[in-house]
Amino acid sequence: MRNRFLISGLFVALSATTFAQTHQAHWSYNGKESPEHWGDLLTDYQTCKLGKIQSPVDLESDNGMKVVSKPLNMNYFPTAFQAENNGHTLQVNVAQENAPFITLNDKPFYLKQFHFHTPSEHTFKRKHYPLEIHFVHQSEDKALAVMAVMVQEGQANPALAQVVEKKLAVGQKEKLAQPLDAKALLPKEMIRFRLNGSLTTPPCSENVSWMIFQSPIQASAEQIAAIEAIEGKNNRPTQPLNERVVEIEQ
């Protein structure tokens, strides 16, 4: 019953891919509604320009970063998903009551959706990957945890096959034909950068625990192009790290 409440009652307010954010004020990645103007589009979006722990960031080096031994506690399993083109990204929503989850500090965070950014939003020594996947999780008290996975061009990724098989028009939704284990979209090497940050889209809320995997996964050039054809270029520029501490978890 609690999972049902989480899926239905807390599905909004996860990221800019939600109904509420999409309909509060129009924003985009180009022109007068581009990222540098988000903070001026709506009062609720002022954190986009005034916030001090904004995302994404550039991860220049792991030298000097604190390394901690903290295995990632995951309970992922094959799940029914529904893909949609919401006008900002290709988003793949959990479409069943019992959602996969991760546990952080003894608190479960349930997977709500994963979506894509082309090119990547986080950078490594100022270098972009052609694609980045965000796995958005939410706890019962509405805290957010996002795992970010970089994607480099290489071999075709079987886990992405049914996600990209149809070019969805804006507003179109399509349930995936088969359950998907989202863990297949994570790298085998689980070392990750950990820091506090924000949503990378309006309202840029600063209540997000970020885990950015150091190792990328692969997808074919055709798969990356198929995702970009649906959503276009949709990456927010990197933001100042300011006084934040970045840890490396392994």
Side-chain angles (χ1 to χ4, degrees), residues 20-66:
Q21 293 170 22
T22 302
H23 289 76
Q24 281 180 357
H26 191 272
W27 56 269
S28 73
Y29 292 92
N30 301 293
K32 295 181 179 180
E33 298 166 333
S34 61
E36 59 265 33
H37 301 295
W38 287 349
D40 300 315
L41 294 177
L42 197 69
T43 301
D44 289 349
Y45 296 173
Q46 286 186 342
T47 304
C48 296
K49 67 176 180 179
L50 301 178
K52 299 301 182 183
I53 56 169
Q54 289 290 288
S55 298
V57 299
D58 177 63
L59 298 160
E60 293 187 1
S61 171
D62 56 7
N63 292 332
M65 293 182 183
K66 182 181 178 181

Side-chain angles (χ1 to χ4, degrees), residues 130 152-157 218-228:
Q152 66 183 6
E153 184 178 323
Q155 296 182 343
N157 192 312
Q218 291 188 2
S220 67
E222 292 77 15
Q223 289 176 321
I224 295 171
I227 293 172
E228 185 172 353

Side-chain angles (χ1 to χ4, degrees), residues 92-104:
V92 187
N93 303 309
V94 172
Q96 65 182 50
E97 292 181 1
N98 57 320
F101 64 92
I102 60 176
T103 302
L104 301 176

